[in-house]
Amino acid sequence: MMTIRRLDSRDADILIEGAQARAETIGVPMCIAVTDEAGQLIAFRRMDGGKVTSTTIAIDKAFTAAGARKATHEYGQASQPGAPAYGIASAIGGRLMVVGGGLPVMLDDEPLGGIGVSSGTPDQDRDVAQAGLDAFNAHLTRLSSG
Amino acid sequence: MMTIRRLDSRDADILIEGAQARAETIGVPMCIAVTDEAGQLIAFRRMDGGKVTSTTIAIDKAFTAAGARKATHEYGQASQPGAPAYGIASAIGGRLMVVGGGLPVMLDDEPLGGIGVSSGTPDQDRDVAQAGLDAFNAHLTRLSSG
Amino acid sequence: MMTIRRLDSRDADILIEGAQARAETIGVPMCIAVTDEAGQLIAFRRMDGGKVTSTTIAIDKAFTAAGARKATHEYGQASQPGAPAYGIASAIGGRLMVVGGGLPVMLDDEPLGGIGVSSGTPDQDRDVAQAGLDAFNAHLTRLSSG
Amino acid sequence: MMTIRRLDSRDADILIEGAQARAETIGVPMCIAVTDEAGQLIAFRRMDGGKVTSTTIAIDKAFTAAGARKATHEYGQASQPGAPAYGIASAIGGRLMVVGGGLPVMLDDEPLGGIGVSSGTPDQDRDVAQAGLDAFNAHLTRLSSG
């Protein structure tokens, strides 16, 4: 039997709120998704003005990052023509995302879940996802020093 | 050109918080989804202990209720063997939900969106969705009398 | 080699216009789809106020009626529990529709295409689809007597 | 609550008629689709000789352009190997189109919907979609000066 740790609903809120605060700062309304370590959706928010087409993309970025324990932009590099993972972008019915904006949520080298952001440029999406991660890590630090 | 009204992100929070409060009262962790009037997801929450299989079901209940402007349990009655809409349950790749727990969010006979709840019995799901709707309607009343 | 006849784009307009006129008369905004005899979409119209969930349903009713050369309500009877085609409603990824509102467009016992209507009750959908068919048949009569 | 504007059924006709006129001029029968601002189909036409495989492609180009408020050819540039959005072409089950021929319908920097065209070369598709947009913009100008 295994015992695992994963994000709970409150953690997902912290991730989304951290990401949303950054999205508001840069002025780009985003779709933001958080999954657990199994890639299953915990929470989702489409900010007013977030793109309809980004709903599934944000969810799938979080799914990819959590399930593969890898940032989606890393897949972007590994899946270029001639690179080892070329073609992976269309795997899992197109759910495996290789565009930046999906980050795994890790603790002690173990995955707790993933966050996925979409509606801006891939760099903006990644920046906003990182802000969610930063907020969550700050929360963990407060907990452990509390 | 048409001008329409739809739920925004803050409205979706009110709906989800109202539903979650009721889910906590009856002790059933739920998946809760809110879509806009076009059936596109605005917000989703899986409470700790909500069923993984209920994620898509909750989203599709909200989609069905918003898009068809009809409670999903009404489709349940209309789609029984021998009834006029028998067989509709597998339409749209199975997204059209006929199980209770999806309610349209209406204002002045126009759809603003939908709420979908899943993880309990269909009666529990419907009860929790209604609590979300009640919270939203109370919010509208406060606004109009404010 | 086979030579077949099928609806063209102008025929599809006549079918849709005939159906829309009837939908306006009964005051139910509809989704209306016309396919060719291969079940491939020729034309689609969502009237203002037609249901978003009915888009795919109308298209799939036309697809079913054209491809199977059978009214979808006939499948409704044949697919009841205990009847020979029980379970067919979920075939083809749910595209095979057994709810009324899909009618084949036939000429000399050969299929030319199909019309599918959705947004009302199944009886209303069927009534509106029939009006489209009537308009097309009147057009054929005018042509042959012209 | 948000108040938004979107294309209605008459607007969709104007877009399709404008596109079709251009398609006839260049002698390429096209599939032409128009969605509302949420990416939901309002109207579709496959001209006689339009490609069957282009039906879904035209619909998905309109969906992408409306939902992302971006021309699909812009995604084509941004998704080349080595570019930031590489791999996006297979997102949303392959619905996100990066081939030219999808254009958003914008008014005052807000999306009203999208038009998608397919059956020709991507340049022809884009040219025909633009003609639909031009016809709609001419219509708006007539309205505002009328």
Side-chain angles (χ1 to χ4, degrees):
Chain A
M1 209 177 321
M2 289 196 286
T3 300
I4 58 155
R5 294 179 295 185
R6 64 166 43 155
L7 300 176
D8 63 20
S9 184
R10 176 72 191 121
D11 297 330
D13 285 344
I14 292 167
L15 281 151
I16 287 182
E17 284 159 17
Q20 177 162 348
R22 179 70 184 150
E24 287 167 352
T25 299
I26 65 171
V28 182
M30 293 287 194
C31 291
I32 308 164
V34 174
T35 67
D36 63 25
E37 106 301 337
Q40 303 284 9
L41 192 64
I42 305 175
F44 172 81
R45 168 177 296 243
R46 174 158 54 102
M47 295 168 61
D48 295 339
K51 296 177 180 172
V52 163
T53 41
S54 290
T55 302
T56 301
I57 292 175
I59 293 172
D60 288 351
K61 283 179 179 175
F63 160 78
T64 299
R69 301 158 210 166
K70 190 185 298 220
T72 54
H73 65 265
E74 295 180 72
Y75 268 120
Q77 294 156 356
S79 65
Q80 294 295 320
Y86 175 67
I88 197 82
S90 50
I92 323 177
R95 292 202 70 194
L96 197 142
M97 296 299 301
V98 307
V99 179
L103 296 173
V105 183
M106 306 291 290
L107 184 64
D108 306 332
D109 287 327
E110 285 171 16
L112 302 176
I115 181 170
V117 175
S118 180
S119 280
T121 66
D123 278 353
Q124 288 172 329
D125 295 347
R126 182 176 164 187
D127 172 48
V128 167
Q130 184 62 50
L133 213 52
D134 292 346
F136 179 67
N137 288 332
H139 166 73
L140 288 186
T141 303
R142 279 193 304 273
L143 280 186
S144 65
S145 68
Chain B
M1 220 174 315
M2 290 197 284
T3 300
I4 58 154
R5 293 179 297 186
R6 61 166 44 156
L7 299 175
D8 63 20
S9 184
R10 176 72 190 119
D11 298 329
D13 285 344
I14 292 168
L15 282 152
I16 288 183
E17 285 159 16
Q20 177 161 349
R22 178 70 184 155
E24 286 166 353
T25 299
I26 65 171
V28 181
M30 293 288 193
C31 291
I32 308 164
V34 174
T35 68
D36 63 26
E37 107 302 336
Q40 303 284 12
L41 191 65
I42 304 174
F44 173 81
R45 169 177 296 243
R46 175 157 55 99
M47 295 167 61
D48 296 340
K51 297 176 181 174
V52 162
T53 42
S54 290
T55 301
T56 301
I57 293 174
I59 293 172
D60 287 351
K61 283 180 180 175
F63 160 77
T64 298
R69 302 156 213 160
K70 193 185 296 219
T72 55
H73 64 265
E74 295 179 74
Y75 269 121
Q77 294 156 355
S79 66
Q80 294 297 320
Y86 174 68
I88 199 81
S90 49
I92 322 179
R95 291 202 72 192
L96 196 141
M97 296 299 302
V98 307
V99 179
L103 295 174
V105 182
M106 306 290 290
L107 183 65
D108 305 332
D109 287 327
E110 284 170 18
L112 301 176
I115 180 169
V117 175
S118 180
S119 280
T121 66
D123 279 352
Q124 288 172 330
D125 295 348
R126 182 177 163 185
D127 172 48
V128 167
Q130 184 62 51
L133 212 52
D134 292 345
F136 179 68
N137 288 332
H139 166 72
L140 288 186
T141 303
R142 279 193 304 273
L143 280 186
S144 64
S145 68
Chain C
M1 210 178 320
M2 290 196 286
T3 300
I4 57 155
R5 293 180 296 185
R6 64 167 43 156
L7 299 176
D8 64 19
S9 184
R10 177 71 191 121
D11 297 329
D13 285 344
I14 292 168
L15 281 151
I16 287 183
E17 284 159 17
Q20 177 162 347
R22 178 71 184 151
E24 287 167 353
T25 298
I26 66 171
V28 181
M30 293 287 194
C31 291
I32 309 164
V34 174
T35 67
D36 63 25
E37 106 301 338
Q40 303 285 8
L41 192 65
I42 305 175
F44 172 81
R45 168 177 295 243
R46 174 157 56 100
M47 295 167 61
D48 295 340
K51 296 177 180 173
V52 162
T53 41
S54 289
T55 302
T56 301
I57 292 175
I59 294 172
D60 288 350
K61 283 180 180 175
F63 161 78
T64 299
R69 301 158 209 165
K70 190 184 299 219
T72 55
H73 66 264
E74 296 179 72
Y75 268 121
Q77 293 156 356
S79 66
Q80 294 295 322
Y86 175 67
I88 198 82
S90 50
I92 322 177
R95 291 202 70 194
L96 196 142
M97 296 298 302
V98 307
V99 179
L103 296 173
V105 183
M106 306 291 290
L107 184 65
D108 306 332
D109 287 327
E110 284 172 15
L112 302 176
I115 181 169
V117 175
S118 180
S119 281
T121 66
D123 279 353
Q124 289 172 329
D125 295 348
R126 182 176 164 186
D127 172 49
V128 167
Q130 183 63 49
L133 213 52
D134 292 346
F136 179 67
N137 288 332
H139 166 73
L140 289 186
T141 302
R142 280 193 304 273
L143 281 186
S144 64
S145 68
Chain D
M1 220 172 316
M2 290 197 284
T3 301
I4 58 155
R5 293 178 297 184
R6 61 168 42 157
L7 299 176
D8 63 20
S9 185
R10 177 70 190 121
D11 298 329
D13 286 344
I14 292 168
L15 282 152
I16 288 182
E17 285 160 17
Q20 177 161 348
R22 177 71 184 154
E24 287 167 352
T25 299
I26 66 171
V28 181
M30 292 287 193
C31 291
I32 309 164
V34 174
T35 67
D36 62 26
E37 106 302 336
Q40 303 284 13
L41 191 65
I42 304 175
F44 172 81
R45 167 178 297 244
R46 175 157 56 99
M47 294 168 61
D48 296 340
K51 297 176 181 172
V52 161
T53 43
S54 289
T55 301
T56 300
I57 293 174
I59 293 172
D60 287 351
K61 283 180 180 175
F63 160 77
T64 298
R69 301 157 211 160
K70 192 185 296 218
T72 55
H73 65 264
E74 295 179 72
Y75 269 120
Q77 293 157 355
S79 66
Q80 293 297 320
Y86 174 68
I88 199 81
S90 49
I92 322 178
R95 291 203 71 193
L96 196 141
M97 296 299 302
V98 307
V99 179
L103 295 174
V105 183
M106 307 290 289
L107 184 65
D108 305 332
D109 287 328
E110 283 171 18
L112 302 176
I115 181 169
V117 175
S118 181
S119 280
T121 66
D123 278 352
Q124 289 171 328
D125 295 348
R126 182 177 163 186
D127 172 47
V128 167
Q130 184 62 50
L133 212 52
D134 292 346
F136 179 67
N137 287 332
H139 165 72
L140 288 186
T141 302
R142 279 193 304 273
L143 280 186
S144 64
S145 68

